[in-house]
Amino acid sequence: MMEISPEVKALSAEMTSLRRDLHAHPELGFQEVRTAGIIAKRLTGLGYTVRTGLGKTGVTGLLRGGKPGKTVLLRADIDALPIREEAVVPWRSETAGVMHACGHDAHTAMGLAAAAILAKEAPSLAGDLFFVFQPAEELLIGAEAMLEDGALEGVRADAAFAIHVMNRWPTGTVAICDGAAMTSADKLTLTITGRGGHGASPHLAIDPIVASAQIITALQTLVSRETPPLSTAVLSLTTLKAGTAFNIIPDAVEMTGTLRCFDAALREKLLASLRRTAEGLAASLRCTARVESQFLTPALRNDPAVTAVARQVAAMIVGESRVVAAEPLTGSDDVAYFFQKVPGCYAFVGSAKPEWSSAPASHNAKFDIDESALEIGADFLVRAARAALLPR
Ligand SMILES: [Zn+2]
Ligand SMILES: [Zn+2]
């Protein structure tokens, strides 16, 4: 049995229309000018103390309760993806090549609905509400940018919540991980340099393509042979660029990829192994390898006490049997930077329509959600905030 709060029901139509408006006008990371403008205007109208331009396009809203108490942080991410939308919906993206294919339009709408409901209650609340509307989550660099701009200055939050719609689960399910929830993420760039020449005279050149092929193959042993069997790591090489013509051996090959880990020490070890393998193999084949890694976000851990609160409030909405324990994900969310400073819980709100035989996945050009999940997510944020402000 679903138990949506009446105050959420009352805002449902407005929340849905805002989600559709945001969906039609998606903006990429750090370009969310229109979106941030809507957020700032609404929060200001609700009485929040609003800060804008945090991490370029991030927005925060602080509202003090009637009595002193704890502070709860609620995060919504606001950016879209460089995807040409293929979903056939009236609110289809009007910006060519940009799409809300991860549901951050829904997160923004749910966050603003929760902000409106909680603002009405603020005079009777003991404690403060702090909303974070974060840009550039898809780039995994928006949270750190907000923190560097002092997003948490003057705010001592006691608990944080973030939600994500996910078509892996049907609407009416809330999935929450215990402890480790999402991996750290590094962006990897490998440049293998040889010496270009004629394709017919390889002995006069130093072929970086053959060296790269061996490096790619050898890197498969980092997970299979160097990672403890019960630990988790993912190493994917995802782009490979080299050459201009069939008869030219190029000077260099560039590859990019990503490393995902739950354990920081394992991450360090694998980065060292990556360097050793690439540089060693390249040298043995007369090439050089340059390995660059950009640390994007730490792993995300759900705090046990905050997670217990999240499970309780989710059960109040969807029923205890529909609050499922999720397996940790090898995806990443840079809200992990906020969770390093504030104990938090990240919850997945099921958003697949029950009648869909195969729900479109996040980051797919046909991505869509069951909009009835909006009420569940907004209600979760409202109830989580109330529960987190209670003295424990
Ligand atoms: Zn995404
Ligand atoms: Zn997302």
Side-chain angles (χ1 to χ4, degrees), residues 237-248:
L237 294 169
T238 49
T239 69
L240 182 60
K241 285 181 197 147
T244 52
F246 83 98
N247 55 357
I248 301 171

Side-chain angles (χ1 to χ4, degrees), residues 220-234 259-271 273:
Q220 306 313 308
T221 64
L222 265 55
V223 173
S224 70
R225 305 287 85 184
E226 295 194 36
T227 300
L230 297 182
S231 298
T232 301
V234 181
L259 176 68
R260 308 286 170 125
C261 294
F262 290 105
D263 182 76
L266 177 61
R267 169 184 167 269
E268 291 287 346
K269 174 181 138 75
L270 290 176
L271 284 174
S273 300

